[in-house]
Amino acid sequence: MDADSFRAGLWSNGGAESKIVWGLRIPRSVMGFGAGAALGVAGLLMQTLFRNPLAGPSVLGITSGASLGVAWATLGAGALGAGAGLWGAEVCGAALGSFAVLGLLMALMAKFNSRSGLLVFGLMLGYLAGALVTVMQAQATAGALRAFVFWGMGSFADAGLGAALVTISLAAVAIATTWRFRRSLDVWTLGSSQAQSMGVDPRKTSRMLVIGSGVLAAWTTAWCGPVAFLGLATPHGVRALMRSSRHGDIALACGLGGGALAVWADWLAHLAGLPLNAVLSIVGAPVVIAVILSKISRNV
Amino acid sequence: MSAHISIHELVLPRISGPLVPLTLDIPPGAMIAVVGRNGCGKSTFLSVLAGLLSPVGGSVAYDGQRADRMSIAERAAHLAWVQSTPPRGSALTVEAILELASHFGSAKNAEQNVVEQTIEDFDLSQYACTPLNRLSDGWAQRAMIARAFAQNTPTVLLDEPTAFLDLPAKLVVFKAFAKAQEHGRSIVLSSHDFDALDRLAHVQATLQFTSSEIACAASFNVAGVEAGLLG
């Protein structure tokens, strides 16, 4: 679609062009921007929680839970002859799986106040989910298998404008909350004990970080699949560009930057006819390597 | 003068050694040095003073409020503490850390002044804009000690504050400690560094932890140290 027909579709009522612009292009871009913003902020919150630059929205096992939910909806239900291929089955499966994992995480945190415990839990959950998914894959039909594989490639095209606007609102709330607690989060980077000495509650802070990034990751994964690299790479790029790692400086930039990156990657994917996750990984992996290497060489 | 810190019949958890209850009133402006061999319970004692660990028996109170019953925010208004090893991962600059400390501490209206004064007292101006993860261990520890003082609390607890410091650095921090004491702030620190304590610090009382008892030598009137007297 060229610029003229886009413009025609934008301003006309009815007609094929209008349907393409309002039914496909705009929801896809808005969803891309919202999902990118949500994942950029979620990545920042995870890197803060674990004080580790390699953390991303997927480390808590929420994406694994989503993938198990989708596998159940597309492969498992298909084998039973019910539910497969129904519209919304993937979204419901992913939402069910990811929010179930988030619930488990919260229960775990209420009992134990341990970040390494969370990390092990997320990692092991990933293995478990992976195993159950292969069991279902082994028994699935070719069509169902194909649907599941496509879900794993990530896409902004399957959500409507409503879901896209909710995603943007969630990201905006997360950015505002990060800004509101920017000083506590800055102090958190000094370690739990220093933070506590300064009056910042470690329990409350880690719970807030898990809920924030968990809800963002779960919602985004439900609508777009496991979008790769955005959450991990965006905060690195923003910190390097802004020359700051203070939450007050970078929270909004992580949202806007993640959104812009997502829309740009989706445009590339659309042009080249590639899956979204392929583009994101091809672009994202070298960026992360470059940032980490430059950090290492500066510290030596 | 009223006591900042009242330790009443305190029995420490975790250690096998002294189960003799310790009673001690620490007046404003006092410096208490906790000395003893590795593993004798110095850090445990400081953790109990900080309200991070509950004692097996007895209590620690700041201006009448029990340390283990305060909220985290209340505690941060009464006392600041620094562990023996400075954190190394943070990219916050020294100045930003001091600003945050004074923001969360009990000197809210004088924020800028406190930061400047602390940088001067601890002679940190050459590293004020350096991120913590670029500092050496010694400078990071000095910044963390300064952080506790920028919080402007009546009490500061320090676990091995001089462990990474060279002699000039020790001179600077002990001078800053003395100034804080003059302003009525109490300091409790643990140390192996007898030499520096002896020559540089204004220590009013020494609590010596041994495997069987806590011995106390004090220049002020100690309200019944039941653990025995030294010196």
Side-chain angles (χ1 to χ4, degrees):
Chain A
M1 180 179 248
D2 59 32
D4 282 336
S5 43
F6 183 83
R7 220 168 292 131
L10 197 59
W11 301 117
S12 73
N13 267 330
E17 282 158 344
S18 167
K19 266 183 196 150
I20 290 175
V21 169
W22 285 101
L24 297 173
R25 291 297 146 78
I26 286 180
R28 180 170 172 169
S29 301
V30 175
M31 188 66 202
F33 188 80
L39 291 173
V41 179
L44 170 67
L45 298 182
M46 274 298 99
Q47 288 170 10
T48 300
L49 173 65
F50 290 108
R51 300 188 193 99
N52 186 328
L54 289 178
S58 60
V59 293
L60 291 177
I62 285 169
T63 331
S64 311
S67 124
L68 183 59
V70 171
W72 177 75
T74 56
L75 309 176
L80 299 174
L86 281 182
W87 185 88
E90 290 173 6
V91 173
C92 291
L96 211 67
S98 52
F99 281 102
V101 170
L102 186 57
L104 277 175
L105 285 171
M106 296 321 297
L108 190 80
M109 288 188 80
K111 278 212 150 184
F112 312 97
N113 186 28
S114 153
R115 288 174 308 130
S116 43
L118 277 183
L119 205 56
V120 171
F121 177 79
L123 220 60
M124 291 306 124
L125 208 75
Y127 285 117
L128 267 179
L132 290 175
V133 168
T134 53
V135 168
M136 286 189 258
Q137 278 174 329
Q139 291 160 2
T141 62
L145 210 52
R146 192 177 142 85
F148 180 70
V149 168
F150 269 96
W151 177 80
M153 294 174 183
S155 167
F156 300 136
D158 303 327
L161 195 55
L165 290 174
V166 173
T167 314
I168 288 191
S169 315
L170 281 178
V173 169
I175 290 168
T177 314
T178 308
W179 165 262
R180 159 105 174 66
F181 290 100
R182 62 194 181 281
R183 290 198 182 88
S184 305
L185 296 176
D186 284 346
V187 166
W188 178 259
T189 64
L190 294 171
S192 313
S193 164
Q194 298 280 349
Q196 196 173 344
S197 168
M198 287 159 82
V200 173
D201 190 336
R203 244 170 204 279
K204 264 191 207 156
T205 308
S206 45
R207 199 175 308 149
M208 203 169 72
L209 288 169
V210 169
I211 292 178
S213 66
V215 168
L216 293 175
W219 175 266
T220 313
T221 311
W223 289 101
C224 308
V227 178
F229 261 109
L230 267 177
L232 174 62
T234 304
H236 283 290
V238 167
R239 276 189 286 253
L241 280 176
M242 314 251 326
R243 296 177 182 284
S244 170
S245 47
R246 299 196 66 175
H247 290 81
D249 294 340
I250 61 174
L252 179 62
C254 280
L256 296 179
L261 217 66
V263 172
W264 176 70
D266 191 40
W267 175 72
L268 272 186
H270 187 71
L271 275 188
L274 292 172
L276 176 65
N277 274 346
V279 173
L280 281 169
S281 298
I282 291 167
V283 175
V287 168
V288 172
I289 291 173
V291 168
I292 303 277
L293 282 185
S294 82
K295 235 184 220 170
I296 292 171
S297 67
R298 260 184 289 138
N299 281 347
V300 165
Chain B
M1 216 187 274
S2 70
H4 262 168
I5 316 172
S6 339
I7 300 170
H8 184 69
E9 303 207 327
L10 187 71
V11 180
L12 298 179
R14 277 197 199 166
I15 49 174
S16 52
L19 288 171
V20 195
L22 174 73
T23 297
L24 179 67
D25 280 345
I26 301 174
M31 182 190 283
I32 312 292
V34 184
V35 297
R37 300 189 54 186
N38 289 343
C40 66
K42 300 190 296 292
S43 298
T44 307
F45 178 62
L46 285 176
S47 297
V48 170
L49 282 195
L52 299 177
L53 270 180
S54 288
V56 171
S59 63
V60 177
Y62 293 84
D63 297 323
Q65 254 190 297
R66 277 187 61 159
D68 52 349
R69 291 187 190 159
M70 286 188 227
S71 72
I72 286 172
E74 282 172 338
R75 220 179 281 148
H78 279 96
L79 61 119
W81 75 87
V82 182
Q83 317 109 287
S84 49
T85 316
R88 303 314 317 277
S90 176
L92 291 174
T93 64
V94 172
E95 195 177 19
I97 292 168
L98 298 180
E99 266 166 26
L100 288 164
S102 103
H103 172 83
F104 283 103
S106 44
K108 297 212 160 104
N109 38 14
E111 216 165 287
Q112 194 52 45
N113 195 16
V114 169
V115 173
E116 278 167 17
Q117 194 59 53
T118 312
I119 287 178
E120 194 187 311
D121 290 347
F122 287 87
D123 199 10
L124 282 163
S125 54
Q126 57 175 317
Y127 290 118
C129 300
T130 310
L132 190 68
N133 53 17
R134 304 272 183 84
L135 291 179
S136 69
D137 285 331
W139 282 98
Q141 189 178 30
R142 199 200 285 202
M144 283 302 110
I145 297 169
R147 189 280 295 162
F149 282 87
Q151 213 172 312
N152 219 18
T153 51
T155 302
V156 179
L157 311 175
L158 304 156
D159 195 359
E160 298 282 358
T162 58
F164 294 98
L165 301 184
D166 57 14
L167 187 62
K170 281 177 195 166
L171 280 168
V172 169
V173 298
F174 279 117
K175 203 173 142 210
F177 292 174
K179 188 179 166 192
Q181 287 175 266
E182 276 166 27
H183 286 95
R185 300 169 72 181
S186 317
I187 298 166
V188 182
L189 55 84
S190 70
S191 184
H192 291 112
D193 200 351
F194 300 106
D195 198 40
L197 284 180
D198 230 28
R199 290 192 299 161
L200 304 173
H202 298 269
V203 178
Q204 274 82 38
T206 308
L207 290 173
Q208 177 150 24
F209 281 55
T210 64
S211 57
S212 59
E213 59 175 9
I214 304 169
C216 178
S219 65
F220 57 84
N221 187 21
V222 178
V225 173
E226 291 162 16
L229 230 65
L230 186 94

